[in-house]
Amino acid sequence: GEALKARTRIGVATYASAKGFEQVKGSLLNTTVKGTGFSYDTFGELVVNSGFRNEGNVHVRPLITLAIEDDFGEIIRDEEGKEQLVLAQGGPVFPYQERTFEGLKFKVKLQPGRRYLARCVAQFGEFFEKTKRINQSFAFSVNRNGEIVMEPD
């Protein structure tokens, strides 16, 4: 018979940029939420879709978070007690490219008949000492059937 040989290779990504020529720019793509089964006393499943467009000439690793507050200004926490839902953390987005983050699921308590404000924040560019922060806000509500309804801009 034949012998099988296995070799292990370890690699490291190395990035180079010419200091002073870095353009650190980006934008959030349209963030949306959906979900059903929300009631007064139980955690329902919130499904989030978001994305990031790198408009600069260097790759970035955005941290994208989502915070939700109700119509009384109270911050909504997930079932682990976190106020910030992490949508992306550390994955590269290459120059002039888009990366989407779809179907991210979180357990939260949202009440039917209430309106909510979601704030999505992307932070990136720290590696180049050019930290950028961009924000996107949108409103949604939960109807009497426990379903999320996105509100128009």
Side-chain angles (χ1 to χ4, degrees), residues 35-69:
T36 59
F38 293 100
S39 65
Y40 295 98
D41 296 328
T42 60
F43 284 95
E45 187 171 79
L46 179 75
V47 180
V48 182
N49 296 314
S50 188
F52 183 83
R53 177 182 298 118
N54 184 348
E55 299 166 349
N57 64 1
V58 292
H59 95 275
V60 294
R61 297 175 177 270
L63 168 63
I64 304 173
T65 58
L66 183 73
I68 301 170
E69 65 181 54

Side-chain angles (χ1 to χ4, degrees), residues 75-132:
I75 300 293
I76 304 301
R77 298 173 188 267
D78 71 1
E79 68 180 343
E80 296 174 1
K82 296 177 186 169
E83 294 181 355
Q84 300 284 326
L85 307 177
V86 176
L87 308 183
Q89 185 172 14
V93 183
F94 297 106
Y96 312 109
Q97 300 290 312
E98 293 180 355
R99 185 166 179 191
T100 57
F101 308 97
E102 298 177 336
L104 305 169
K105 297 177 182 177
F106 303 94
K107 294 285 189 180
V108 295
K109 282 186 183 178
L110 301 175
Q111 295 184 13
R114 300 284 295 276
R115 187 172 185 269
Y116 297 89
L117 178 65
R119 289 189 173 93
C120 191
V121 176
Q123 183 173 310
F124 57 99
E126 293 86 349
F127 178 79
F128 303 100
E129 297 175 357
K130 295 183 178 186
T131 302
K132 305 282 185 182

